[in-house]
Amino acid sequence: KAGVTQTPRYLIKTRGQQVTLSCSPISGHRSVSWYQQTPGQGLQFLFEYFSETQRNKGNFPGRFSGRQFSNSRSEMNVSTLELGDSALYLCASSLNQGPGTGELFFGEGSRLTVL
Amino acid sequence: ILNVEQSPQSLHVQEGDSTNFTCSFPSSNFYALHWYRWETAKSPEALFVMTLNGDEKKKGRISATLNTKEGYSYLYIKGSQPEDSATYLCALRDDKIIFGKGTRLHILP
Protein backbone atom coordinates (compact mmCIF):
# COMPACT_ATOMS: atom_id res chain seq x y z
CA LYS A 1 0.00 0.00 0.00
CA ALA A 2 1.56 3.28 -1.10
CA GLY A 3 2.12 5.90 1.57
CA VAL A 4 1.43 9.61 1.47
CA THR A 5 3.25 11.23 -1.44
CA GLN A 6 4.27 14.86 -1.48
CA THR A 7 5.70 16.76 -4.42
CA PRO A 8 7.99 18.48 -4.95
CA ARG A 9 10.38 17.40 -2.19
CA TYR A 10 12.56 20.49 -2.45
CA LEU A 11 12.05 23.84 -4.04
CA ILE A 12 13.57 27.30 -4.02
CA LYS A 13 11.56 30.43 -4.67
CA THR A 14 12.14 34.14 -4.36
CA ARG A 15 10.16 36.67 -2.34
CA GLY A 16 6.91 37.67 -3.98
CA GLN A 17 6.51 34.47 -5.97
CA GLN A 18 3.84 31.90 -5.33
CA VAL A 19 4.15 28.17 -4.81
CA THR A 20 1.86 25.14 -5.05
CA LEU A 21 2.55 21.93 -3.15
CA SER A 22 0.82 18.64 -3.82
CA CYS A 23 -0.18 15.76 -1.57
CA SER A 24 -1.56 12.36 -2.57
CA PRO A 25 -3.05 10.55 0.43
CA ILE A 26 -3.08 6.84 1.13
CA SER A 27 -5.71 5.12 -1.00
CA GLY A 28 -9.05 5.23 0.79
CA HIS A 29 -8.11 8.10 3.09
CA ARG A 30 -10.45 11.04 2.66
CA SER A 31 -9.01 13.43 5.22
CA VAL A 32 -5.89 15.46 4.42
CA SER A 33 -4.24 17.98 6.71
CA TRP A 34 -1.27 20.31 6.20
CA TYR A 35 1.40 21.50 8.64
CA GLN A 36 4.28 23.93 8.64
CA GLN A 37 7.47 23.32 10.57
CA THR A 38 10.04 26.06 11.08
CA PRO A 39 13.17 25.90 13.27
CA GLY A 40 12.28 26.17 16.94
CA GLN A 41 8.58 25.65 16.30
CA GLY A 42 6.51 22.54 16.49
CA LEU A 43 4.26 21.46 13.71
CA GLN A 44 1.82 24.29 13.06
CA PHE A 45 -1.59 23.28 11.77
CA LEU A 46 -2.50 24.96 8.47
CA PHE A 47 -5.77 23.37 7.40
CA GLU A 48 -7.68 20.14 7.06
CA TYR A 49 -9.83 18.90 4.21
CA PHE A 50 -12.39 16.15 4.08
CA SER A 51 -14.37 15.21 0.97
CA GLU A 52 -13.27 18.36 -0.86
CA THR A 53 -14.39 20.66 1.98
CA GLN A 54 -12.12 22.63 4.27
CA ARG A 55 -13.03 21.42 7.70
CA ASN A 56 -10.72 23.54 9.80
CA LYS A 57 -8.10 26.23 9.39
CA GLY A 58 -5.14 27.25 11.54
CA ASN A 59 -3.94 30.77 12.34
CA PHE A 60 -2.20 31.59 9.10
CA PRO A 61 -2.72 34.60 6.83
CA GLY A 62 -4.91 34.41 3.77
CA ARG A 63 -1.82 33.96 1.58
CA PHE A 64 -2.00 30.31 2.59
CA SER A 65 -4.78 28.42 0.87
CA GLY A 66 -5.58 24.90 -0.12
CA ARG A 67 -8.03 22.65 -1.83
CA GLN A 68 -8.92 19.01 -2.17
CA PHE A 69 -9.99 17.21 -5.29
CA SER A 70 -12.57 14.46 -5.76
CA ASN A 71 -9.83 11.80 -5.66
CA SER A 72 -8.77 13.17 -2.22
CA ARG A 73 -5.51 14.59 -3.55
CA SER A 74 -4.81 17.97 -2.03
CA GLU A 75 -2.83 21.05 -2.94
CA MET A 76 -1.75 23.98 -0.88
CA ASN A 77 -0.76 27.33 -2.28
CA VAL A 78 1.24 30.16 -0.78
CA SER A 79 1.08 33.46 -2.59
CA THR A 80 3.38 36.48 -2.28
CA LEU A 81 6.10 34.45 -0.59
CA GLU A 82 7.99 35.94 2.34
CA LEU A 83 11.35 34.88 3.78
CA GLY A 84 9.54 33.56 6.85
CA ASP A 85 7.64 31.06 4.72
CA SER A 86 10.82 29.01 4.39
CA ALA A 87 9.87 25.78 6.12
CA LEU A 88 9.15 22.10 5.85
CA TYR A 89 5.54 21.59 4.80
CA LEU A 90 4.09 18.26 5.82
CA CYS A 91 0.90 16.67 4.64
CA ALA A 92 -0.91 13.90 6.49
CA SER A 93 -3.85 11.71 5.60
CA SER A 94 -6.28 9.94 7.86
CA LEU A 95 -9.15 7.52 7.64
CA ASN A 96 -11.36 9.34 10.11
CA GLN A 97 -14.77 10.27 8.84
CA GLY A 98 -15.31 13.12 11.27
CA PRO A 99 -13.11 15.24 13.55
CA GLY A 100 -12.32 12.07 15.45
CA THR A 101 -9.48 9.96 16.55
CA GLY A 102 -7.84 8.59 13.41
CA GLU A 103 -4.06 8.52 13.48
CA LEU A 104 -2.22 10.65 10.95
CA PHE A 105 -0.03 9.18 8.22
CA PHE A 106 2.56 11.71 7.12
CA GLY A 107 4.33 12.29 3.85
CA GLU A 108 8.04 13.08 3.68
CA GLY A 109 7.38 16.77 3.28
CA SER A 110 8.19 19.56 0.86
CA ARG A 111 11.08 21.75 1.92
CA LEU A 112 10.58 25.29 0.69
CA THR A 113 13.36 27.86 0.70
CA VAL A 114 12.47 31.46 0.00
CA LEU A 115 15.36 33.73 -1.05
CA ILE B 1 -7.12 27.79 21.97
CA LEU B 2 -5.39 24.71 23.30
CA ASN B 3 -1.72 24.96 24.18
CA VAL B 4 0.25 21.74 24.32
CA GLU B 5 3.49 21.73 26.34
CA GLN B 6 6.09 18.99 26.25
CA SER B 7 8.92 18.46 28.71
CA PRO B 8 11.76 18.12 28.74
CA GLN B 9 12.72 19.75 25.46
CA SER B 10 15.74 17.45 25.14
CA LEU B 11 16.90 14.35 26.95
CA HIS B 12 20.05 12.22 26.92
CA VAL B 13 19.64 8.66 28.17
CA GLN B 14 22.15 5.85 28.50
CA GLU B 15 21.42 2.78 26.41
CA GLY B 16 19.53 0.26 28.51
CA ASP B 17 18.06 2.85 30.88
CA SER B 18 14.35 3.60 31.03
CA THR B 19 12.95 7.07 30.59
CA ASN B 20 9.74 9.03 30.42
CA PHE B 21 8.54 12.43 29.33
CA THR B 22 5.44 14.53 29.63
CA CYS B 23 2.78 16.17 27.50
CA SER B 24 0.68 18.79 29.34
CA PHE B 25 -2.47 20.49 28.16
CA PRO B 26 -5.39 22.48 29.57
CA SER B 27 -7.86 20.11 31.08
CA SER B 28 -10.72 20.41 28.63
CA ASN B 29 -12.78 18.45 26.21
CA PHE B 30 -11.01 17.15 23.15
CA TYR B 31 -11.39 14.17 20.89
CA ALA B 32 -8.05 12.43 21.32
CA LEU B 33 -4.41 12.73 22.27
CA HIS B 34 -1.84 11.40 19.82
CA TRP B 35 1.84 10.46 20.25
CA TYR B 36 4.19 10.41 17.24
CA ARG B 37 7.82 9.47 16.81
CA TRP B 38 9.83 11.49 14.33
CA GLU B 39 13.20 10.11 13.37
CA THR B 40 15.70 12.25 11.49
CA ALA B 41 15.20 12.23 7.71
CA LYS B 42 11.93 10.34 8.07
CA SER B 43 8.24 11.19 8.47
CA PRO B 44 6.47 11.30 11.84
CA GLU B 45 4.93 7.93 12.68
CA ALA B 46 1.99 7.34 14.98
CA LEU B 47 2.68 5.56 18.25
CA PHE B 48 -0.60 5.88 20.12
CA VAL B 49 -4.03 7.48 19.91
CA MET B 50 -5.75 7.80 23.27
CA THR B 51 -9.23 9.06 23.97
CA LEU B 52 -10.34 8.14 27.48
CA ASN B 53 -9.20 9.30 30.88
CA GLY B 54 -7.09 6.53 32.34
CA ASP B 55 -6.21 5.10 28.92
CA GLU B 56 -2.99 3.09 28.90
CA LYS B 57 -1.47 1.87 25.67
CA LYS B 58 1.61 -0.24 25.01
CA LYS B 59 3.65 -1.11 21.95
CA GLY B 60 6.71 -3.22 22.70
CA ARG B 61 8.97 -1.29 25.08
CA ILE B 62 6.96 1.94 24.72
CA SER B 63 3.83 2.76 26.67
CA ALA B 64 1.69 5.81 27.35
CA THR B 65 -0.91 6.94 29.85
CA LEU B 66 -3.53 9.68 29.69
CA ASN B 67 -5.02 11.75 32.51
CA THR B 68 -7.57 14.15 31.07
CA LYS B 69 -8.75 15.45 34.44
CA GLU B 70 -5.33 16.77 35.42
CA GLY B 71 -4.22 17.48 31.86
CA TYR B 72 -1.21 15.32 31.14
CA SER B 73 0.03 12.28 29.29
CA TYR B 74 3.23 10.35 29.96
CA LEU B 75 5.27 8.40 27.44
CA TYR B 76 7.54 5.69 28.85
CA ILE B 77 10.40 3.88 27.14
CA LYS B 78 11.75 0.82 28.88
CA GLY B 79 15.35 -0.29 28.24
CA SER B 80 16.25 2.43 25.73
CA GLN B 81 17.91 1.34 22.50
CA PRO B 82 19.80 3.42 19.90
CA GLU B 83 16.85 3.15 17.52
CA ASP B 84 14.71 5.03 20.07
CA SER B 85 16.65 8.22 19.29
CA ALA B 86 14.04 10.54 17.80
CA THR B 87 11.77 13.47 18.54
CA TYR B 88 8.58 12.46 20.28
CA LEU B 89 5.56 14.65 19.55
CA CYS B 90 2.22 14.77 21.24
CA ALA B 91 -0.84 16.35 19.65
CA LEU B 92 -4.31 17.22 20.85
CA ARG B 93 -7.18 16.65 18.51
CA ASP B 94 -10.21 18.88 18.85
CA ASP B 95 -11.53 20.88 15.92
CA LYS B 96 -7.90 21.49 15.05
CA ILE B 97 -4.76 19.45 15.59
CA ILE B 98 -2.37 21.12 18.03
CA PHE B 99 1.15 19.72 18.34
CA GLY B 100 3.63 20.28 21.12
CA LYS B 101 7.19 21.20 20.22
CA GLY B 102 8.41 17.73 21.04
CA THR B 103 10.95 16.02 23.26
CA ARG B 104 14.21 15.22 21.49
CA LEU B 105 15.59 11.94 22.86
CA HIS B 106 19.24 10.98 22.41
CA ILE B 107 20.33 7.47 23.38
CA LEU B 108 23.98 7.29 24.42
CA PRO B 109 25.83 4.03 23.61
mmCIF file of all heavy atoms in Angstrom, chain A residues 31-35 45-50 53-58 68 94 96 98-100 104, chain B residues 93-97:
data_model
loop_
_atom_site.group_PDB
_atom_site.id
_atom_site.type_symbol
_atom_site.label_atom_id
_atom_site.label_comp_id
_atom_site.label_asym_id
_atom_site.label_seq_id
_atom_site.Cartn_x
_atom_site.Cartn_y
_atom_site.Cartn_z
ATOM 1 N N SER A 31 -9.387 12.235 4.476
ATOM 2 C CA SER A 31 -9.007 13.427 5.222
ATOM 3 C C SER A 31 -7.540 13.746 4.966
ATOM 4 O O SER A 31 -6.680 12.870 5.047
ATOM 5 C CB SER A 31 -9.235 13.180 6.715
ATOM 6 O OG SER A 31 -8.735 14.254 7.471
ATOM 7 N N VAL A 32 -7.272 15.000 4.638
ATOM 8 C CA VAL A 32 -5.894 15.459 4.418
ATOM 9 C C VAL A 32 -5.680 16.736 5.223
ATOM 10 O O VAL A 32 -6.513 17.643 5.182
ATOM 11 C CB VAL A 32 -5.629 15.739 2.922
ATOM 12 C CG1 VAL A 32 -4.251 16.383 2.745
ATOM 13 C CG2 VAL A 32 -5.719 14.455 2.106
ATOM 14 N N SER A 33 -4.579 16.776 5.950
ATOM 15 C CA SER A 33 -4.244 17.980 6.709
ATOM 16 C C SER A 33 -2.824 18.419 6.367
ATOM 17 O O SER A 33 -2.005 17.603 5.935
ATOM 18 C CB SER A 33 -4.391 17.752 8.224
ATOM 19 O OG SER A 33 -3.699 16.590 8.644
ATOM 20 N N TRP A 34 -2.558 19.710 6.554
ATOM 21 C CA TRP A 34 -1.274 20.306 6.204
ATOM 22 C C TRP A 34 -0.672 20.989 7.428
ATOM 23 O O TRP A 34 -1.400 21.586 8.241
ATOM 24 C CB TRP A 34 -1.458 21.349 5.099
ATOM 25 C CG TRP A 34 -1.763 20.796 3.748
ATOM 26 C CD1 TRP A 34 -3.001 20.521 3.235
ATOM 27 C CD2 TRP A 34 -0.829 20.480 2.720
ATOM 28 N NE1 TRP A 34 -2.886 20.046 1.950
ATOM 29 C CE2 TRP A 34 -1.561 20.017 1.614
ATOM 30 C CE3 TRP A 34 0.566 20.555 2.614
ATOM 31 C CZ2 TRP A 34 -0.953 19.620 0.419
ATOM 32 C CZ3 TRP A 34 1.168 20.165 1.425
ATOM 33 C CH2 TRP A 34 0.413 19.700 0.345
ATOM 34 N N TYR A 35 0.674 20.935 7.507
ATOM 35 C CA TYR A 35 1.400 21.503 8.638
ATOM 36 C C TYR A 35 2.654 22.212 8.142
ATOM 37 O O TYR A 35 3.254 21.823 7.132
ATOM 38 C CB TYR A 35 1.815 20.395 9.615
ATOM 39 C CG TYR A 35 0.647 19.570 10.073
ATOM 40 C CD1 TYR A 35 0.205 18.492 9.316
ATOM 41 C CD2 TYR A 35 -0.046 19.895 11.232
ATOM 42 C CE1 TYR A 35 -0.899 17.763 9.693
ATOM 43 C CE2 TYR A 35 -1.144 19.161 11.622
ATOM 44 C CZ TYR A 35 -1.566 18.105 10.848
ATOM 45 O OH TYR A 35 -2.660 17.374 11.227
ATOM 46 N N PHE A 45 -0.463 23.717 12.582
ATOM 47 C CA PHE A 45 -1.588 23.277 11.766
ATOM 48 C C PHE A 45 -2.001 24.378 10.783
ATOM 49 O O PHE A 45 -2.258 25.513 11.189
ATOM 50 C CB PHE A 45 -2.748 22.914 12.699
ATOM 51 C CG PHE A 45 -4.052 22.607 12.017
ATOM 52 C CD1 PHE A 45 -4.228 21.410 11.348
ATOM 53 C CD2 PHE A 45 -5.107 23.507 12.068
ATOM 54 C CE1 PHE A 45 -5.433 21.116 10.739
ATOM 55 C CE2 PHE A 45 -6.319 23.228 11.462
ATOM 56 C CZ PHE A 45 -6.474 22.027 10.796
ATOM 57 N N LEU A 46 -2.075 24.006 9.510
ATOM 58 C CA LEU A 46 -2.497 24.956 8.471
ATOM 59 C C LEU A 46 -3.972 24.806 8.162
ATOM 60 O O LEU A 46 -4.756 25.729 8.327
ATOM 61 C CB LEU A 46 -1.676 24.738 7.198
ATOM 62 C CG LEU A 46 -0.282 25.348 7.196
ATOM 63 C CD1 LEU A 46 0.635 24.626 6.229
ATOM 64 C CD2 LEU A 46 -0.352 26.821 6.851
ATOM 65 N N PHE A 47 -4.354 23.657 7.664
ATOM 66 C CA PHE A 47 -5.766 23.375 7.395
ATOM 67 C C PHE A 47 -5.987 21.891 7.201
ATOM 68 O O PHE A 47 -5.046 21.114 7.051
ATOM 69 C CB PHE A 47 -6.322 24.132 6.175
ATOM 70 C CG PHE A 47 -5.315 24.581 5.162
ATOM 71 C CD1 PHE A 47 -4.602 23.672 4.406
ATOM 72 C CD2 PHE A 47 -5.081 25.936 4.968
ATOM 73 C CE1 PHE A 47 -3.673 24.086 3.477
ATOM 74 C CE2 PHE A 47 -4.158 26.367 4.032
ATOM 75 C CZ PHE A 47 -3.453 25.439 3.291
ATOM 76 N N GLU A 48 -7.270 21.526 7.233
ATOM 77 C CA GLU A 48 -7.682 20.140 7.059
ATOM 78 C C GLU A 48 -8.835 20.091 6.074
ATOM 79 O O GLU A 48 -9.735 20.924 6.126
ATOM 80 C CB GLU A 48 -8.110 19.534 8.390
ATOM 81 C CG GLU A 48 -8.536 18.074 8.262
ATOM 82 C CD GLU A 48 -9.007 17.492 9.584
ATOM 83 O OE1 GLU A 48 -9.419 18.255 10.468
ATOM 84 O OE2 GLU A 48 -8.947 16.251 9.722
ATOM 85 N N TYR A 49 -8.783 19.102 5.197
ATOM 86 C CA TYR A 49 -9.828 18.900 4.210
ATOM 87 C C TYR A 49 -10.420 17.510 4.356
ATOM 88 O O TYR A 49 -9.717 16.549 4.690
ATOM 89 C CB TYR A 49 -9.289 19.069 2.782
ATOM 90 C CG TYR A 49 -8.983 20.498 2.455
ATOM 91 C CD1 TYR A 49 -7.742 21.046 2.752
ATOM 92 C CD2 TYR A 49 -9.950 21.322 1.889
ATOM 93 C CE1 TYR A 49 -7.470 22.369 2.486
ATOM 94 C CE2 TYR A 49 -9.685 22.650 1.622
ATOM 95 C CZ TYR A 49 -8.441 23.165 1.926
ATOM 96 O OH TYR A 49 -8.166 24.486 1.673
ATOM 97 N N PHE A 50 -11.700 17.442 4.085
ATOM 98 C CA PHE A 50 -12.390 16.154 4.081
ATOM 99 C C PHE A 50 -13.444 16.222 2.994
ATOM 100 O O PHE A 50 -14.274 17.139 2.984
ATOM 101 C CB PHE A 50 -13.030 15.861 5.443
ATOM 102 C CG PHE A 50 -13.740 14.543 5.496
ATOM 103 C CD1 PHE A 50 -13.028 13.373 5.684
ATOM 104 C CD2 PHE A 50 -15.117 14.473 5.355
ATOM 105 C CE1 PHE A 50 -13.677 12.146 5.724
ATOM 106 C CE2 PHE A 50 -15.770 13.258 5.397
ATOM 107 C CZ PHE A 50 -15.049 12.096 5.583
ATOM 108 N N THR A 53 -13.963 19.505 1.181
ATOM 109 C CA THR A 53 -14.390 20.661 1.980
ATOM 110 C C THR A 53 -13.341 20.964 3.038
ATOM 111 O O THR A 53 -12.839 20.044 3.698
ATOM 112 C CB THR A 53 -15.735 20.370 2.660
ATOM 113 O OG1 THR A 53 -16.706 20.074 1.658
ATOM 114 C CG2 THR A 53 -16.185 21.564 3.490
ATOM 115 N N GLN A 54 -13.037 22.250 3.190
ATOM 116 C CA GLN A 54 -12.122 22.628 4.265
ATOM 117 C C GLN A 54 -12.864 22.518 5.585
ATOM 118 O O GLN A 54 -13.853 23.218 5.814
ATOM 119 C CB GLN A 54 -11.610 24.056 4.064
ATOM 120 C CG GLN A 54 -10.526 24.427 5.076
ATOM 121 C CD GLN A 54 -10.005 25.845 4.866
ATOM 122 O OE1 GLN A 54 -10.562 26.812 5.378
ATOM 123 N NE2 GLN A 54 -8.933 25.957 4.101
ATOM 124 N N ARG A 55 -12.329 21.672 6.445
ATOM 125 C CA ARG A 55 -13.034 21.417 7.701
ATOM 126 C C ARG A 55 -12.573 22.363 8.809
ATOM 127 O O ARG A 55 -13.341 22.766 9.658
ATOM 128 C CB ARG A 55 -12.818 19.962 8.105
ATOM 129 C CG ARG A 55 -13.796 19.433 9.117
ATOM 130 C CD ARG A 55 -13.957 17.947 9.013
ATOM 131 N NE ARG A 55 -12.759 17.211 9.352
ATOM 132 C CZ ARG A 55 -12.661 15.879 9.283
ATOM 133 N NH1 ARG A 55 -13.698 15.172 8.906
ATOM 134 N NH2 ARG A 55 -11.547 15.263 9.571
ATOM 135 N N ASN A 56 -11.277 22.648 8.787
ATOM 136 C CA ASN A 56 -10.723 23.539 9.802
ATOM 137 C C ASN A 56 -9.534 24.281 9.234
ATOM 138 O O ASN A 56 -8.901 23.821 8.277
ATOM 139 C CB ASN A 56 -10.257 22.738 11.030
ATOM 140 C CG ASN A 56 -11.403 22.218 11.840
ATOM 141 O OD1 ASN A 56 -12.194 22.995 12.368
ATOM 142 N ND2 ASN A 56 -11.535 20.913 11.924
ATOM 143 N N LYS A 57 -9.212 25.411 9.862
ATOM 144 C CA LYS A 57 -8.100 26.228 9.393
ATOM 145 C C LYS A 57 -7.315 26.727 10.595
ATOM 146 O O LYS A 57 -7.911 27.104 11.614
ATOM 147 C CB LYS A 57 -8.642 27.408 8.598
ATOM 148 C CG LYS A 57 -7.586 28.205 7.841
ATOM 149 C CD LYS A 57 -8.260 29.295 7.013
ATOM 150 C CE LYS A 57 -7.302 29.944 6.028
ATOM 151 N NZ LYS A 57 -6.085 30.492 6.610
ATOM 152 N N GLY A 58 -5.995 26.737 10.478
ATOM 153 C CA GLY A 58 -5.140 27.250 11.539
ATOM 154 C C GLY A 58 -4.995 28.758 11.432
ATOM 155 O O GLY A 58 -5.641 29.421 10.613
ATOM 156 N N GLN A 68 -8.963 20.464 -2.037
ATOM 157 C CA GLN A 68 -8.924 19.012 -2.166
ATOM 158 C C GLN A 68 -9.790 18.614 -3.345
ATOM 159 O O GLN A 68 -10.877 19.181 -3.556
ATOM 160 C CB GLN A 68 -9.431 18.332 -0.883
ATOM 161 C CG GLN A 68 -9.250 16.811 -0.900
ATOM 162 C CD GLN A 68 -9.739 16.159 0.374
ATOM 163 O OE1 GLN A 68 -10.694 16.621 0.994
ATOM 164 N NE2 GLN A 68 -9.099 15.073 0.769
ATOM 165 N N SER A 94 -5.659 10.688 6.772
ATOM 166 C CA SER A 94 -6.280 9.944 7.858
ATOM 167 C C SER A 94 -7.564 9.314 7.352
ATOM 168 O O SER A 94 -8.207 9.833 6.443
ATOM 169 C CB SER A 94 -6.565 10.892 9.023
ATOM 170 O OG SER A 94 -7.291 10.267 10.034
ATOM 171 N N ASN A 96 -10.202 8.963 9.312
ATOM 172 C CA ASN A 96 -11.361 9.338 10.107
ATOM 173 C C ASN A 96 -12.420 10.077 9.318
ATOM 174 O O ASN A 96 -12.130 10.944 8.511
ATOM 175 C CB ASN A 96 -10.949 10.155 11.332
ATOM 176 C CG ASN A 96 -10.317 11.475 10.956
ATOM 177 O OD1 ASN A 96 -9.505 11.545 10.051
ATOM 178 N ND2 ASN A 96 -10.695 12.537 11.640
ATOM 179 N N GLY A 98 -14.944 11.850 10.656
ATOM 180 C CA GLY A 98 -15.306 13.121 11.268
ATOM 181 C C GLY A 98 -14.114 13.633 12.025
ATOM 182 O O GLY A 98 -13.037 13.048 11.950
ATOM 183 N N PRO A 99 -14.244 14.731 12.773
ATOM 184 C CA PRO A 99 -13.109 15.236 13.554
ATOM 185 C C PRO A 99 -12.859 14.311 14.732
ATOM 186 O O PRO A 99 -13.068 14.667 15.874
ATOM 187 C CB PRO A 99 -13.581 16.623 14.005
ATOM 188 C CG PRO A 99 -15.060 16.534 14.019
ATOM 189 C CD PRO A 99 -15.446 15.559 12.947
ATOM 190 N N GLY A 100 -12.414 13.119 14.441
ATOM 191 C CA GLY A 100 -12.324 12.069 15.449
ATOM 192 C C GLY A 100 -10.919 11.687 15.803
ATOM 193 O O GLY A 100 -10.053 12.532 15.955
ATOM 194 N N LEU A 104 -2.680 9.973 12.157
ATOM 195 C CA LEU A 104 -2.222 10.653 10.945
ATOM 196 C C LEU A 104 -1.084 9.870 10.318
ATOM 197 O O LEU A 104 -0.194 9.381 11.003
ATOM 198 C CB LEU A 104 -1.753 12.071 11.285
ATOM 199 C CG LEU A 104 -2.774 12.983 11.965
ATOM 200 C CD1 LEU A 104 -2.122 14.308 12.343
ATOM 201 C CD2 LEU A 104 -3.971 13.212 11.067
ATOM 202 N N ARG B 93 -6.227 16.583 19.595
ATOM 203 C CA ARG B 93 -7.178 16.646 18.506
ATOM 204 C C ARG B 93 -8.514 17.171 19.017
ATOM 205 O O ARG B 93 -9.221 16.483 19.732
ATOM 206 C CB ARG B 93 -7.337 15.242 17.929
ATOM 207 C CG ARG B 93 -8.264 15.128 16.746
ATOM 208 C CD ARG B 93 -7.758 15.939 15.606
ATOM 209 N NE ARG B 93 -8.245 15.463 14.323
ATOM 210 C CZ ARG B 93 -8.891 16.223 13.458
ATOM 211 N NH1 ARG B 93 -9.140 17.472 13.737
ATOM 212 N NH2 ARG B 93 -9.269 15.722 12.312
ATOM 213 N N ASP B 94 -8.827 18.467 18.701
ATOM 214 C CA ASP B 94 -10.208 18.879 18.847
ATOM 215 C C ASP B 94 -10.639 19.301 17.457
ATOM 216 O O ASP B 94 -10.465 18.532 16.511
ATOM 217 C CB ASP B 94 -10.402 19.940 19.937
ATOM 218 C CG ASP B 94 -9.692 21.245 19.657
ATOM 219 O OD1 ASP B 94 -8.937 21.329 18.680
ATOM 220 O OD2 ASP B 94 -9.899 22.202 20.419
ATOM 221 N N ASP B 95 -11.195 20.468 17.279
ATOM 222 C CA ASP B 95 -11.527 20.882 15.917
ATOM 223 C C ASP B 95 -10.276 21.049 15.070
ATOM 224 O O ASP B 95 -10.305 20.890 13.862
ATOM 225 C CB ASP B 95 -12.315 22.190 15.935
ATOM 226 C CG ASP B 95 -13.724 21.968 16.453
ATOM 227 O OD1 ASP B 95 -14.205 20.816 16.389
ATOM 228 O OD2 ASP B 95 -14.333 22.930 16.947
ATOM 229 N N LYS B 96 -9.187 21.395 15.734
ATOM 230 C CA LYS B 96 -7.897 21.490 15.046
ATOM 231 C C LYS B 96 -6.971 20.423 15.616
ATOM 232 O O LYS B 96 -7.357 19.660 16.508
ATOM 233 C CB LYS B 96 -7.318 22.889 15.250
ATOM 234 C CG LYS B 96 -8.218 23.984 14.705
ATOM 235 C CD LYS B 96 -7.622 25.358 14.926
ATOM 236 C CE LYS B 96 -8.586 26.409 14.396
ATOM 237 N NZ LYS B 96 -8.064 27.779 14.568
ATOM 238 N N ILE B 97 -5.767 20.403 15.105
ATOM 239 C CA ILE B 97 -4.763 19.450 15.591
ATOM 240 C C ILE B 97 -3.593 20.278 16.099
ATOM 241 O O ILE B 97 -2.911 20.938 15.316
ATOM 242 C CB ILE B 97 -4.318 18.496 14.474
ATOM 243 C CG1 ILE B 97 -5.542 17.826 13.844
ATOM 244 C CG2 ILE B 97 -3.350 17.460 15.016
ATOM 245 C CD1 ILE B 97 -5.243 17.134 12.523
#
